[in-house]
């Protein structure tokens, strides 16, 4: 099954992977962003979702069969996250009413559904792991919930089916993305190799020693397409991860080896990357100029604050995917290979030396 797709946030980690898969599968793909990037087979749609009138104008006569919402804007408080990001979803779906209404709308959120928003991340009474879709929302304001509610309300009004997708930390390529662990670790490893600093795990003992999982952007793209084309997946929320579990005590050495580094012993001390990398912008610029890299601005490649949030959690985080498996989604992606594929692509695209 193919059709016309609108990928909202088409320039991001998830959006670009989704657009690429849809194009490969024969869909006509439109990618919406404030500043769309040039992508093979993707028709750019320029729109600021905070502007309702401009969004409606940009979407007029587009009439996509499926919409994939893969974007959000980080704000200074959760109240502002809720206000801005719910309005963006509302403006988008209001711009696709009537004859332009889609058949299916997919919303990408994440495990903050279970862990809470940034202001209360991993704190208070949390559901038991592995996280399962039937676990209730936390009793706390969360912009993911606000985004879901906008989708649910529009679906009831316009009659389309929906799916919600909750990945763990996403591995994929995008420049200027606010949540980008894979590229952040690649940049950190490059800086350690350049300066001779120890390649130290920055997070907590719970993350070093406990089990965890992650989500390759390509795996998430497959899941989004599967849900949009599988009748049984209509009006359902799903967790989506690679399918394997690992401990960072194992993965850290694998990453170090890829970069030709010896991993520093972990002594249980949390050493945030935001602190370790605070003065590295000039160092990165020198590396970029010497090696002919295409992005000399460290802040557009690394998001240490987000990597610190994930690797500093005081609890084990593992995700259950039984719901998707029972419905027939069987794709699998080894997480170490996901990292290695990303690192190779970053090197090939001259983002790291």
């Amino acid at each position: 099954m193919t059709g016309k797709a609108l990928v909202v946030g088409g320039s991001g980690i998830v959006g670009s992977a989704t657009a690429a898969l849809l194009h490969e599968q024969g869909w006509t793909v439109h990618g919406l962003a404030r500043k769309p990037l040039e992508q093979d087979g993707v028709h750019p749609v320029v729109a600021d979702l905070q502007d309702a009138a401009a969004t409606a104008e940009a979407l007029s006569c587009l009439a996509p069969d499926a919409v994939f919402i893969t974007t959000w804007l980080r704000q200074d408080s959760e109240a502002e996250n809720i206000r801005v990001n719910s309005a963006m979803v509302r403006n988008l779906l209001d711009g696709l009413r009537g004859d332009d209404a889609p058949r299916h709308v997919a919303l990408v959120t994440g495990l903050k559904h279970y862990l809470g928003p940034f202001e209360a991340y991993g704190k208070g009474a949390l559901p038991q792991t592995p996280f399962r879709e039937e676990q209730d929302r936390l009793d706390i304001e969360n912009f993911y919930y606000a985004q879901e509610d906008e989708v649910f309300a529009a679906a009831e009004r316009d009659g389309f089916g929906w799916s919600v997708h909750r990945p763990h930390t996403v591995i994929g390529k995008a420049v200027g993305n606010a949540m980008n662990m894979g590229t952040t670790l690649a940049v950190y490893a490059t800086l350690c190799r350049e300066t001779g600093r120890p390649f130290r795990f920055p997070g907590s003992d719970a993350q070093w020693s406990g089990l965890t999982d992650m989500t390759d952007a390509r795996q998430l793209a497959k899941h989004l397409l599967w849900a949009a084309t599988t009748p049984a997946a209509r009006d359902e929320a799903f967790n989506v991860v690679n399918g394997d579990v690992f401990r960072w005590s194992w993965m850290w050495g694998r990453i170090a080896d890829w970069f030709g580094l010896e991993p520093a012993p972990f002594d249980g001390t949390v050493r945030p990357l935001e602190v370790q990398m605070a003065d590295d912008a000039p160092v990165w610029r020198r590396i970029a100029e010497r090696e002919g890299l295409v992005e000399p601005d460290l802040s557009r490649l690394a998001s240490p604050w987000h990597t610190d949030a994930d690797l500093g959690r005081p609890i084990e985080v593992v995700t259950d995917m039984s719901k998707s498996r029972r419905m027939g989604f069987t794709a699998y992606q080894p997480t170490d290979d996901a990292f290695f594929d990303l690192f190779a692509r970053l090197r090939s695209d001259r983002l790291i030396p």
Side-chain angles (χ1 to χ4, degrees):
M1 177 181 177
T2 61
K4 184 189 294 185
L6 174 63
V7 181
V8 183
S11 301
I13 290 177
V14 176
S16 59
T18 302
L21 177 64
L22 290 164
H23 173 60
E24 177 187 307
Q25 295 295 316
W27 288 65
T28 300
V29 184
H30 297 263
L32 185 150
R34 286 175 296 172
K35 297 179 180 179
L37 299 177
E38 186 175 331
Q39 297 169 264
D40 289 343
V42 180
H43 305 283
V45 178
V46 180
D48 180 353
L49 294 180
Q50 296 182 82
D51 186 329
T55 297
E57 182 177 354
L59 296 176
S60 62
C61 302
L62 189 61
D65 298 294
V67 177
F68 303 90
I69 305 173
T70 70
T71 190
W72 71 290
L73 280 178
R74 186 188 181 200
Q75 305 299 311
D76 291 335
S77 69
E78 192 59 20
E80 278 298 288
N81 275 331
I82 291 168
R83 184 186 68 80
V84 170
N85 289 285
S86 62
M88 288 168 59
V89 174
R90 184 167 60 252
N91 293 341
L92 169 73
L93 297 178
D94 282 352
L96 294 171
R97 298 183 67 171
D99 293 339
D100 290 338
R103 174 184 53 78
H104 183 86
V105 172
L107 172 67
V108 177
T109 61
L111 294 197
K112 287 189 290 296
H113 183 94
Y114 308 107
L115 288 163
F118 290 119
E119 292 178 1
Y121 191 60
K123 300 175 183 176
L126 300 175
Q128 191 175 48
T129 56
F131 295 137
R132 294 182 171 86
E133 295 91 343
E134 65 268 21
Q135 290 166 328
D136 292 335
R137 290 179 175 183
L138 301 177
D139 186 19
I140 189 171
E141 295 296 308
N142 189 325
F143 84 87
Y144 281 173
Y145 305 160
Q147 286 182 308
E148 285 184 345
D149 289 343
E150 293 292 345
V151 171
F152 300 159
E156 185 173 352
R157 177 190 72 201
D158 296 331
F160 59 75
W162 55 265
S163 58
V164 174
H165 304 256
R166 299 170 186 158
H168 199 163
T169 304
V170 177
I171 303 169
K173 181 201 165 191
V175 176
N177 191 273
M179 300 190 297
N180 195 338
M181 180 189 285
T183 305
T184 298
L185 293 180
V187 168
Y188 173 59
T190 302
L191 287 163
C192 288
R193 189 175 60 199
E194 173 77 12
T195 62
R197 298 195 320 237
F199 185 59
R200 296 189 183 278
F201 181 72
S204 67
D205 182 68
Q207 295 306 304
W208 178 258
S209 304
L211 291 172
T212 193
D213 47 29
M214 293 184 72
T215 309
D216 189 305
R218 300 166 299 181
Q219 174 85 338
L220 178 49
K222 293 174 185 176
H223 198 255
L224 287 162
L225 179 56
W226 166 79
T229 56
T230 300
R234 180 186 172 102
D235 299 348
E236 296 285 351
F238 298 100
N239 297 327
V240 49
V241 287
N242 287 335
D244 62 350
V245 294
F246 64 93
R247 303 181 199 275
W248 277 105
S249 56
W250 174 80
M251 185 68 78
W252 197 249
R254 300 275 289 159
I255 293 173
D257 185 63
W258 198 93
F259 285 96
L261 296 168
E262 186 70 27
F266 179 66
D267 62 5
T269 303
V270 176
R271 294 180 172 88
L273 289 179
E274 200 161 23
V275 175
Q276 292 194 56
M277 300 173 68
D279 300 320
D280 282 338
V283 181
W284 184 259
R285 187 168 293 277
R286 288 198 301 272
I287 296 171
E289 291 172 355
R290 186 188 70 220
E291 302 290 340
L293 304 183
V294 298
E295 183 51 75
D297 185 348
L298 180 62
S299 68
R300 286 183 49 77
L301 292 174
S303 51
W305 68 273
H306 179 259
T307 300
D308 287 340
D310 275 359
L311 297 184
R313 290 180 302 215
I315 57 172
E316 181 178 272
V317 178
V318 183
T319 312
D320 184 85
M321 266 195 74
S322 299
K323 184 175 180 179
S324 294
R325 301 302 190 206
R326 289 189 177 104
M327 290 186 180
F329 182 77
T330 58
Y332 168 79
Q333 170 64 58
T335 300
D336 52 346
D337 287 348
F339 274 123
F340 302 157
D341 290 350
L342 171 63
F343 300 156
R345 185 179 176 194
L346 294 175
R347 184 168 284 172
S348 175
D349 292 346
R350 302 305 303 156
L351 286 165
I352 62 172

